[in-house]
């Protein structure tokens, strides 16, 4: 029932806190300074592992990138198109600047 293969589950020993997870190293040091240890910290390695190309950068860089610039290029394109359409539609309007009729001469 349900069919298909089970997904590959990596060995738990592959997840270690090290130089490739600077955020977790910082957490580990802070806990150690308080005399504490988090035995489950390794379970978060997959989220912070900088060796994973899909993650790309530190957690802070990923948050800034996802929140600040997610739609920037699309928004910029829409703004330019909107400004162009507005300028085109209003280009034939008489604004009364420097255009005198022949009757006033």
């Amino acid at each position: 029932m349900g069919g298909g293969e089970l997904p590959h589950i990596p060995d738990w020993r592959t997840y270690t806190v090290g130089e490739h997870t600077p955020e977790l190293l910082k957490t580990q040091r802070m806990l150690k300074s308080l005399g504490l240890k988090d035995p489950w910290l390794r379970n978060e390695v997959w989220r912070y592992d900088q060796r994973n190309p899909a993650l790309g950068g530190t957690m802070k860089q990923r948050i800034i990138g996802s929140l600040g610039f997610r739609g920037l290029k699309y928004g910029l394109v829409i703004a330019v198109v909107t400004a162009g359409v507005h300028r085109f539609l209003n280009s034939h309007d008489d604004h009364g600047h420097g255009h005198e009729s022949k009757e006033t001469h």
Side-chain angles (χ1 to χ4, degrees):
M1 297 186 115
E5 288 184 38
L6 291 176
H8 171 69
I9 300 173
D11 187 20
W12 63 271
R13 290 173 287 224
T14 61
Y15 295 113
T16 58
V17 177
E19 295 300 322
H20 57 281
T21 55
E23 294 95 349
L24 296 180
L25 273 176
K26 181 180 177 184
T27 302
Q28 198 173 44
R29 277 184 291 214
M30 288 186 338
L31 288 171
K32 190 175 184 178
S33 71
L34 297 171
L36 301 172
K37 182 180 178 183
D38 185 358
W40 300 102
L41 195 60
R42 71 167 188 266
N43 292 339
E44 299 298 319
V45 168
W46 65 275
R47 293 180 201 248
Y48 297 92
D49 193 350
Q50 292 182 348
R51 298 175 299 187
N52 184 351
L55 297 179
T58 64
M59 187 64 130
K60 184 177 179 182
Q61 291 169 338
R62 283 180 273 150
I63 290 172
I64 290 171
S66 68
L67 293 178
F69 302 108
R70 184 180 306 174
L72 183 66
K73 59 184 170 185
Y74 299 113
L76 187 60
V77 168
I78 291 170
V80 169
V81 169
T82 303
V85 168
H86 179 75
R87 185 176 180 125
F88 174 76
L89 292 176
N90 294 328
S91 64
H92 302 295
D93 290 347
D94 181 25
H95 300 294
H97 298 288
H99 301 287
E100 297 179 15
S101 66
K102 294 181 180 181
E103 298 167 0
T104 58
H105 286 314

